Amino acid sequence: MSDEQPHGPASGPVEDEPTYEAAVAELEEIVTALQRDDVAVDELAAKVARGAALVEICRARLRTAELAVEEVVAALQAAEEPDPPAER
């Protein structure tokens, strides 16, 4: 089984996109290859394009996670607030 998790557009990765962790690992591999200076010009352009796509995938995952955390925190804070006194 792969690292990929099928989800809808609003809920996370789609079938062809890697998980956040897999995207970061692939980005690290691309950076390492680019630092070696032995990448062919045609391969260089493809790696840079793939790197840019991976950065966007990671940004989207981080935004989704941030929103989910904010929702949980807001729910916890709302649960801690005392109910207003009832009017008589």
Side-chain angles (χ1 to χ4, degrees):
M1 187 155 220
S2 74
D3 289 338
E4 298 171 359
Q5 301 170 358
H7 294 281
S11 64
V14 293
E15 289 183 32
D16 293 340
E17 291 184 352
T19 63
Y20 176 82
E21 292 78 11
V24 169
E26 188 176 345
L27 271 170
E28 289 173 350
E29 291 173 8
I30 290 171
V31 168
T32 299
L34 294 176
Q35 289 174 338
R36 285 194 310 256
D37 290 332
D38 63 351
V39 179
V41 173
D42 292 333
E43 188 180 348
L44 174 69
K47 286 190 177 295
V48 170
R50 178 63 178 161
L54 290 167
V55 167
E56 287 306 312
I57 289 168
C58 290
R59 284 181 179 162
R61 300 287 189 284
L62 290 171
R63 279 192 298 270
T64 300
E66 181 180 25
L67 291 173
V69 168
E70 287 174 359
E71 287 177 9
V72 170
V73 170
L76 289 172
Q77 289 174 339
E80 290 178 356
E81 295 176 6
D83 292 330
E87 292 187 31
R88 295 181 193 219

